[in-house]
Amino acid sequence: MPSMPKKADRAREPRRALSATEVVTRLASLPGWHLTGDGPDVGIEKTFTFASYHEVIAFVNAVAFIAHAQDHHPDLSVHYGRCVVRYSTHDVQGLSMADFACAARVDALLA
């Protein structure tokens, strides 16, 4: 079975931590997402609700596809009827553009 497509080699695109101003600006464009944690544990998080468990799992699988393609993997908390998605960039100990780009892609799944 062929592997799923991935974004171009990320080694050519070093990630950097966004400034507080950049974080606030980008967060304003993502309804329902909020800051969580602080310092090196800062992240953005959103809870998605669904009518059934199989809808949650279908959503999780779609998020996994995005994560693989973008080479940026969120923390997921899976429950009956809801899934909490949390992005952060551990290698910059903060938030990067990758977090906000992936959050927007996840939102687009349900648009």
Side-chain angles (χ1 to χ4, degrees):
M1 173 190 277
S3 65
M4 293 176 10
K6 270 193 171 183
K7 193 170 180 177
D9 183 8
R10 304 291 279 174
R12 290 179 271 146
E13 299 177 34
R15 293 181 180 158
R16 68 168 181 85
L18 298 176
S19 69
T21 302
E22 290 173 309
V23 168
V24 170
T25 300
R26 282 167 176 73
L27 195 58
S29 69
L30 293 172
W33 290 86
H34 63 274
L35 283 175
T36 180
D38 58 7
D41 192 42
V42 70
I44 57 172
E45 181 177 291
K46 183 173 181 177
T47 300
F48 294 86
T49 58
F50 301 91
S52 65
Y53 188 71
H54 77 273
E55 290 177 3
V56 173
I57 297 304
F59 173 76
V60 167
N61 286 329
V63 171
F65 185 87
I66 291 169
H68 180 77
Q70 297 300 308
D71 196 24
H72 194 60
H73 304 83
D75 293 327
L76 301 173
S77 181
V78 179
H79 309 271
Y80 184 92
R82 68 185 163 93
C83 178
V84 180
V85 180
R86 184 179 192 279
Y87 279 103
S88 64
T89 304
H90 303 287
D91 55 338
V92 302
Q93 296 185 338
L95 292 166
S96 71
M97 280 300 300
D99 299 308
F100 291 93
C102 287
R105 283 180 169 86
V106 169
D107 278 348
L109 292 171
L110 301 174

